[in-house]
Amino acid sequence: MQIEQIYTGCLAQGAYYITSNGEAAIIDPLRETQPYLDRIERDGVKLKYIFETHFHADFVSGHLDLSKETGAAIVYGPTAQPEFEATVATDNQLFEIGNIKIKVLHTPGHTMESSTYLLIDEEGKDHAIFSGDTLFIGDVGRPDLAQKAASMTQEQLAGLLYHSLRDKVMTLADDVIVYPAHGAGSACGKNMSKETVSTIGNQKATNYALRANMTEAEFITEVTDGLLPPPAYFGMNVAMNKKGYNSFENVMDLGMKALTVNEFEATAEETGALILDTRNNGDFSKGFIPQSINIGINGDFAPWVGALIADVKQPIILVTELGREKETVTRLSRVGFDNLVGHLEGSFEAWKNAGKEIDTVNRITADQLKAQVKIGESKIIDIRKQSEYSAEHIEEAFSKPLANINDWIKDIDPKEHFFMHCAGGYRSMIAASILQARGFRNFSEIEGGFSAIAKTDIPRTDFVCQSKIQ
């Protein structure tokens, strides 16, 4: 028996590849199937089952393409209603893979169909659980994503999760290994650890939601406290996972269509496509195609695309770093952005060399900020997360998280200049591109963000002035 965790940092997502005596299973696969097919061929095994812990919200699974290419059965837990051929298991149902077994434990709460898969080894011993979004390392799944579909409140779903954990998961032996679907950085929980593997015993000792003598009421209160609104694309990804989607290869063909400068310009205009520039923020600031949105590939690319573009059906045309076109298309497809209409051949340099109009961002250094800013008079917008702002920020700065830009952008006075920063420049350049695409040019964006600001003597504080938090 072999278990391989295939962890994708961009999405903080763990898929699992399991083999035993010539047969294999994959749990929660990502959209692109080739890495799994390569492993199957390498090991000379037959893929027998594709297990899905639930209908994922934060990424599009590769279950359909993988099943089509291998003939493996797709398995969901009880109450799932996929709109394609699949096995909907019963609670405690056993599936054999070589000399091991996978037992289905129905653990509703994150969603109604959520299930945990218990691996029973060759000796008949409980070896590991693949807990999906039911149990994370240091946290549990948020219970607010399936409220509408389940016709239940988040408190009612949290109550189900409480009993799922205590009746199905915490009753397992302390040495059973825990393999979750996500780690720190995922929006599917709020307090996940950077660790991606643990044990039942360790989680009983360290996970706030699994502590001994915790009442159901306490659990509901603590699990639902502080939940941020889910990204807008989550519901659309659930629908794709449940109903089906375009094949990954077709999406790749669309995105890999190379367009000359003139073709790019005409296609963008004809389709109304959003121009997504995935180059690094430093290069983008020095020159870009007007109206482009910058979300750099070297960062939390897919989650920010999902959070800020939101509509997975939005036509998108790409400007990428040379040689990274395929990677960009792959990462977009993982979160369901399939409506691609091609990419600019030769990247931005081709546009620039053709003498086309370009735009730039007014980016200044932290030292220039120090020379220009007047605390108490200048307007400063900090677009980091609220927790980052609360830890330390420039005195008199406003907290305006990037995730909420569509809410606070309407309050900007186009005649009032402001300074804007994030932690290192990645998020502030995203914001700068959105602002300029909507006609705002009355700002200076800070190169290096708060990391650079902290090296100056610009006054900083951890005092939160509530009147400034909107």
Side-chain angles (χ1 to χ4, degrees), residues 402-432:
L402 173 60
N404 302 332
I405 191 171
N406 289 322
D407 296 325
W408 57 258
I409 196 171
K410 62 181 180 292
D411 298 324
I412 293 176
D413 181 351
K415 297 179 181 179
E416 180 185 20
H417 178 269
F418 62 92
F419 299 97
M420 179 174 65
H421 74 85
C422 63
Y426 181 85
R427 287 172 286 178
S428 56
M429 192 54 66
I430 296 175

Side-chain angles (χ1 to χ4, degrees), residues 264-330:
F264 183 96
E265 192 172 32
T267 301
E269 184 173 342
E270 291 168 5
T271 63
L274 180 148
I275 302 173
L276 179 61
D277 190 321
T278 66
R279 295 175 298 145
N280 74 69
N281 59 80
D283 289 341
F284 181 86
S285 70
K286 298 171 185 175
F288 58 91
I289 300 171
Q291 302 299 305
S292 297
I293 301 302
N294 174 239
I295 304 179
I297 196 73
N298 293 329
D300 292 332
F301 174 69
W304 279 120
V305 168
L308 297 173
I309 298 178
D311 184 0
V312 298
K313 297 180 180 179
Q314 165 71 49
I316 295 174
I317 193 166
L318 299 170
V319 179
T320 74
E321 295 177 19
L322 288 174
R324 302 188 74 175
E325 298 86 0
K326 186 174 182 179
E327 176 188 358
T328 302
V329 175
T330 297

Side-chain angles (χ1 to χ4, degrees), residues 2 14 150 157-158 231 244-245 281 301 316 318 325 327 340 363 365 394 397 412 446:
Q2 292 185 333
L157 284 164
Y245 47 75
N281 59 80
F301 174 69
I316 295 174
L318 299 170
E325 298 86 0
E327 176 188 358
L340 306 178
R363 164 168 271 195
T365 67
I394 298 175
I412 293 176
I446 314 306

